[in-house]
mmCIF file of all heavy atoms in Angstrom:
data_model
loop_
_atom_site.group_PDB
_atom_site.id
_atom_site.type_symbol
_atom_site.label_atom_id
_atom_site.label_comp_id
_atom_site.label_asym_id
_atom_site.label_seq_id
_atom_site.Cartn_x
_atom_site.Cartn_y
_atom_site.Cartn_z
ATOM 1 N N GLN G 52 57.205 34.054 -7.119
ATOM 2 C CA GLN G 52 58.094 34.263 -5.980
ATOM 3 C C GLN G 52 59.236 33.272 -6.011
ATOM 4 O O GLN G 52 59.070 32.119 -6.432
ATOM 5 C CB GLN G 52 57.341 34.042 -4.659
ATOM 6 C CG GLN G 52 56.590 35.227 -4.169
ATOM 7 C CD GLN G 52 56.015 35.004 -2.785
ATOM 8 O OE1 GLN G 52 54.933 34.492 -2.615
ATOM 9 N NE2 GLN G 52 56.757 35.401 -1.778
ATOM 10 N N GLY G 59 65.402 21.482 7.304
ATOM 11 C CA GLY G 59 64.666 21.468 8.564
ATOM 12 C C GLY G 59 64.019 22.785 8.928
ATOM 13 O O GLY G 59 63.483 22.937 10.026
ATOM 14 N N GLN G 69 55.437 40.848 -9.425
ATOM 15 C CA GLN G 69 54.058 40.899 -9.894
ATOM 16 C C GLN G 69 54.020 40.579 -11.380
ATOM 17 O O GLN G 69 55.000 40.761 -12.097
ATOM 18 C CB GLN G 69 53.452 42.280 -9.639
ATOM 19 C CG GLN G 69 53.393 42.676 -8.183
ATOM 20 C CD GLN G 69 52.514 41.762 -7.367
ATOM 21 O OE1 GLN G 69 51.610 41.111 -7.875
ATOM 22 N NE2 GLN G 69 52.795 41.673 -6.074
ATOM 23 N N GLY G 115 40.160 33.582 -9.578
ATOM 24 C CA GLY G 115 39.622 33.110 -8.309
ATOM 25 C C GLY G 115 40.591 32.346 -7.443
ATOM 26 O O GLY G 115 40.347 32.139 -6.256
ATOM 27 N N ASN G 117 43.810 33.243 -6.743
ATOM 28 C CA ASN G 117 45.007 34.027 -6.491
ATOM 29 C C ASN G 117 45.384 33.994 -5.019
ATOM 30 O O ASN G 117 45.519 35.015 -4.357
ATOM 31 C CB ASN G 117 44.864 35.472 -6.985
ATOM 32 C CG ASN G 117 43.750 36.217 -6.257
ATOM 33 O OD1 ASN G 117 42.810 35.614 -5.773
ATOM 34 N ND2 ASN G 117 43.881 37.521 -6.177
ATOM 35 N N TYR G 118 45.482 32.791 -4.488
ATOM 36 C CA TYR G 118 46.012 32.530 -3.159
ATOM 37 C C TYR G 118 46.791 31.225 -3.174
ATOM 38 O O TYR G 118 47.493 30.895 -2.250
ATOM 39 C CB TYR G 118 44.875 32.421 -2.120
ATOM 40 C CG TYR G 118 43.793 31.452 -2.513
ATOM 41 C CD1 TYR G 118 43.956 30.083 -2.319
ATOM 42 C CD2 TYR G 118 42.645 31.893 -3.132
ATOM 43 C CE1 TYR G 118 42.986 29.186 -2.721
ATOM 44 C CE2 TYR G 118 41.662 31.001 -3.541
ATOM 45 C CZ TYR G 118 41.834 29.650 -3.329
ATOM 46 O OH TYR G 118 40.877 28.775 -3.733
ATOM 47 N N ARG I 37 57.340 19.848 15.756
ATOM 48 C CA ARG I 37 58.231 19.954 14.607
ATOM 49 C C ARG I 37 58.466 18.590 13.979
ATOM 50 O O ARG I 37 58.654 18.481 12.772
ATOM 51 C CB ARG I 37 59.557 20.577 15.038
ATOM 52 C CG ARG I 37 59.441 22.007 15.548
ATOM 53 C CD ARG I 37 59.151 22.974 14.411
ATOM 54 N NE ARG I 37 60.137 22.857 13.360
ATOM 55 C CZ ARG I 37 61.306 23.477 13.366
ATOM 56 N NH1 ARG I 37 61.635 24.266 14.368
ATOM 57 N NH2 ARG I 37 62.143 23.322 12.365
ATOM 58 N N ASP I 84 38.908 26.725 0.520
ATOM 59 C CA ASP I 84 39.267 25.850 -0.597
ATOM 60 C C ASP I 84 40.007 24.651 -0.037
ATOM 61 O O ASP I 84 41.077 24.811 0.532
ATOM 62 C CB ASP I 84 40.151 26.618 -1.601
ATOM 63 C CG ASP I 84 40.538 25.798 -2.823
ATOM 64 O OD1 ASP I 84 40.292 24.580 -2.851
ATOM 65 O OD2 ASP I 84 41.108 26.383 -3.758
ATOM 66 N N ARG I 126 43.470 37.924 2.163
ATOM 67 C CA ARG I 126 43.594 36.995 1.049
ATOM 68 C C ARG I 126 44.773 37.434 0.189
ATOM 69 O O ARG I 126 44.870 38.583 -0.208
ATOM 70 C CB ARG I 126 42.319 37.011 0.245
ATOM 71 C CG ARG I 126 42.340 36.128 -0.982
ATOM 72 C CD ARG I 126 40.991 36.150 -1.638
ATOM 73 N NE ARG I 126 41.022 35.588 -2.954
ATOM 74 C CZ ARG I 126 40.184 34.664 -3.370
ATOM 75 N NH1 ARG I 126 39.259 34.208 -2.558
ATOM 76 N NH2 ARG I 126 40.261 34.195 -4.589
ATOM 77 N N THR I 127 45.665 36.532 -0.058
ATOM 78 C CA THR I 127 46.898 36.877 -0.726
ATOM 79 C C THR I 127 46.630 37.394 -2.130
ATOM 80 O O THR I 127 45.869 36.814 -2.881
ATOM 81 C CB THR I 127 47.832 35.673 -0.787
ATOM 82 O OG1 THR I 127 48.056 35.212 0.548
ATOM 83 C CG2 THR I 127 49.159 36.045 -1.397
ATOM 84 N N VAL I 129 47.918 41.045 -4.824
ATOM 85 C CA VAL I 129 48.631 42.325 -4.929
ATOM 86 C C VAL I 129 50.069 42.098 -4.460
ATOM 87 O O VAL I 129 50.766 41.264 -4.967
ATOM 88 C CB VAL I 129 47.919 43.421 -4.125
ATOM 89 C CG1 VAL I 129 48.487 44.789 -4.492
ATOM 90 C CG2 VAL I 129 46.425 43.415 -4.417
ATOM 91 N N THR I 132 52.413 38.438 0.488
ATOM 92 C CA THR I 132 53.024 37.127 0.370
ATOM 93 C C THR I 132 52.503 36.271 1.499
ATOM 94 O O THR I 132 51.853 36.756 2.412
ATOM 95 C CB THR I 132 54.557 37.230 0.425
ATOM 96 O OG1 THR I 132 55.107 35.943 0.141
ATOM 97 C CG2 THR I 132 55.041 37.682 1.794
ATOM 98 N N GLN I 133 52.757 34.991 1.409
ATOM 99 C CA GLN I 133 52.404 34.085 2.473
ATOM 100 C C GLN I 133 53.642 33.832 3.316
ATOM 101 O O GLN I 133 54.725 33.611 2.778
ATOM 102 C CB GLN I 133 51.857 32.773 1.894
ATOM 103 C CG GLN I 133 50.548 32.965 1.149
ATOM 104 C CD GLN I 133 50.059 31.698 0.463
ATOM 105 O OE1 GLN I 133 50.590 30.608 0.684
ATOM 106 N NE2 GLN I 133 49.050 31.841 -0.376
#
Side-chain angles (χ1 to χ4, degrees):
Chain G
Q52 276 187 273
Q69 299 297 336
N117 63 334
Y118 52 81
Chain I
R37 296 288 305 276
D84 182 351
R126 178 176 167 130
T127 303
V129 193
T132 187
Q133 295 175 10

